[in-house]
Amino acid sequence: MAQETKELSIQFKDQGNLWYSQKDYQKAIELYSRAIMINDNNPTFYLNRAKCFKMLKTFDKQYQDSLKAIELDDSYIKAYIVNGEALVELGKNDKNTAKIEKGILRMKKALNMCFKQNQKNFEKEIQTSLKKAEKIKWYKQTEIDSHDKERLMYQIRGKMDNHQDDQDILGRFEKYLNQTDPRYEETKNQAREHRSTHKEIPDFLICRITDDLMEQPVVIQSGFTYEKSAILKHFQINGNIDPITRQSVDPNILIPNHYLKQATEYYLERNPWAFQYIPGELYLQYHM
């Protein structure tokens, strides 16, 4: 490629970046597309356009462009992140969690590449995207399980009502459900008892201000631990006092509680239902 042509494609890319910074994503897409028409072997052009599609919630095109960036440069960490995020968004409308799980794998690959390439500046971004994806996966799986249980409840209660005295039919039906649906036994008990299992999160993982799991737990001068954003907002509104003891504290003394953060992550890995108790912005994003 001639140097002048290459420079022209870079100019279009730079102009696209300017429009992107001004949040005119459609104009940015036009300029990135012009850059691609001149040079279709530059992965950055595709990734930048993919990020515009992400902002416009055109997730299929976000996926396609970020995948093209990966094909052109399979060590492009940012492309794996954006591609994984697109898969997660596309998976929200599916009947299973396959795309969401594939997106999570892409992000985990990006995280591994961070360590191998010593590019730790991406680590926090990937961890945030992974946590969001895991929560979306939990909501999706809960939605699927809920539909399956509703179907089973209908079948079980219908059979119970229609064949109360026919043990042979009930026995054959129960055998069939046991073979075809591993959730049958649990659902059958719920159908009989008309109740759900109640689950509780250990108190020490819950912020006493928000009543939610803590993502950034910090210890303040009084020795109590709170969610960082919540305690800062408390200081701003109520002054520099501990919300429980009411004693005066130095608002600048906020010590990250690494032990509690690790304990929360460990708990979430083994109790994915608890993702619903992470502060609620993501819940709104998922159900929009």
Side-chain angles (χ1 to χ4, degrees):
M1 179 183 295
Q3 185 65 26
E4 290 183 2
T5 304
K6 183 177 180 180
E7 289 177 357
L8 182 60
S9 68
I10 296 296
Q11 287 177 18
F12 283 134
K13 186 264 293 182
D14 291 341
Q15 291 173 25
N17 290 350
L18 180 62
W19 286 109
Y20 182 91
S21 68
Q22 296 177 9
K23 299 184 179 181
D24 191 335
Y25 304 116
Q26 199 60 56
K27 186 67 175 178
I29 287 171
E30 293 175 12
L31 288 158
Y32 292 139
S33 297
R34 293 177 73 177
I36 290 169
M37 288 178 66
I38 296 171
N39 178 9
D40 61 359
N41 290 315
N42 190 316
T44 301
F45 299 167
Y46 288 98
L47 184 63
N48 286 5
R49 192 169 68 175
K51 289 161 68 177
C52 291
F53 287 130
K54 173 185 175 180
M55 301 308 296
L56 294 173
K57 300 186 184 299
T58 313
F59 301 119
D60 55 338
K61 292 183 178 180
Q62 175 190 342
Y63 170 75
Q64 292 166 8
D65 270 3
S66 56
L67 185 62
K68 181 65 175 179
I70 292 171
E71 290 172 355
L72 291 170
D73 181 359
D74 62 4
S75 65
Y76 201 172
I77 294 174
K78 186 67 177 177
Y80 281 95
I81 301 171
V82 175
N83 189 256
E85 290 172 342
L87 282 165
V88 170
E89 292 294 338
L90 290 169
K92 287 181 181 179
N93 298 319
D94 285 357
K95 294 182 179 180
N96 55 53
T97 60
K99 280 182 185 170
I100 297 174
E101 290 171 3
K102 187 176 180 181
I104 290 172
L105 288 176
R106 285 281 162 87
M107 294 180 208
K108 287 182 176 179
K109 182 171 183 177
L111 190 60
N112 289 333
M113 291 167 68
C114 274
F115 297 125
K116 289 181 180 179
Q117 298 178 23
N118 198 26
Q119 296 281 343
K120 293 188 177 181
N121 51 312
F122 289 116
E123 183 179 349
K124 186 174 181 180
E125 178 184 354
I126 298 171
Q127 293 284 13
T128 300
S129 294
L130 271 172
K131 188 170 289 186
K132 176 181 176 180
E134 291 285 1
K135 191 171 183 181
I136 288 173
K137 178 186 172 183
W138 181 86
Y139 280 122
K140 188 66 182 180
Q141 191 60 57
T142 300
E143 178 185 291
I144 294 168
D145 290 345
S146 177
H147 290 162
D148 287 348
K149 284 187 176 183
E150 285 179 11
R151 172 182 58 80
L152 273 174
M153 285 286 194
Y154 178 80
Q155 290 178 314
I156 294 168
R157 287 176 179 170
K159 290 295 182 181
M160 286 178 174
D161 291 340
N162 296 331
H163 301 284
Q164 291 181 10
D165 300 323
D166 194 331
Q167 294 301 314
D168 180 57
I169 290 178
L170 283 176
R172 283 189 281 119
F173 180 68
E174 182 169 341
K175 183 178 179 181
Y176 165 76
L177 285 177
N178 268 317
Q179 292 173 343
T180 58
D181 197 316
R183 288 180 294 270
Y184 167 67
E185 195 63 36
E186 175 191 354
T187 308
K188 181 182 70 174
N189 293 333
Q190 290 181 12
R192 286 174 174 168
E193 299 175 12
H194 296 272
R195 64 177 177 82
S196 298
T197 304
H198 179 64
K199 299 177 179 178
E200 292 184 355
I201 298 174
D203 287 341
F204 73 92
L205 296 178
I206 298 293
C207 174
R208 300 190 186 191
I209 298 174
T210 65
D211 283 332
D212 287 318
L213 280 168
M214 289 179 276
E215 291 191 277
Q216 288 186 290
V218 292
V219 183
I220 67 172
Q221 194 175 28
S222 64
F224 284 94
T225 297
Y226 302 97
E227 173 64 31
K228 183 177 181 179
S229 60
I231 193 63
L232 288 174
K233 187 173 182 179
H234 167 81
F235 288 153
Q236 184 180 8
I237 296 173
N238 302 301
N240 302 330
I241 56 173
D242 184 297
I244 295 176
T245 66
R246 313 305 293 176
Q247 72 184 79
S248 296
V249 294
D250 185 339
N252 297 311
I253 299 178
L254 299 174
I255 304 171
N257 192 330
H258 297 298
Y259 169 78
L260 196 58
K261 184 175 177 62
Q262 290 176 0
T264 300
E265 291 173 353
Y266 180 87
Y267 187 81
L268 285 170
E269 285 178 6
R270 285 151 183 79
N271 299 276
W273 57 269
F275 273 108
Q276 63 185 305
Y277 294 101
I278 291 177
E281 288 183 10
L282 183 58
Y283 182 88
L284 296 176
Q285 290 177 25
Y286 180 76
H287 289 278
M288 283 177 63

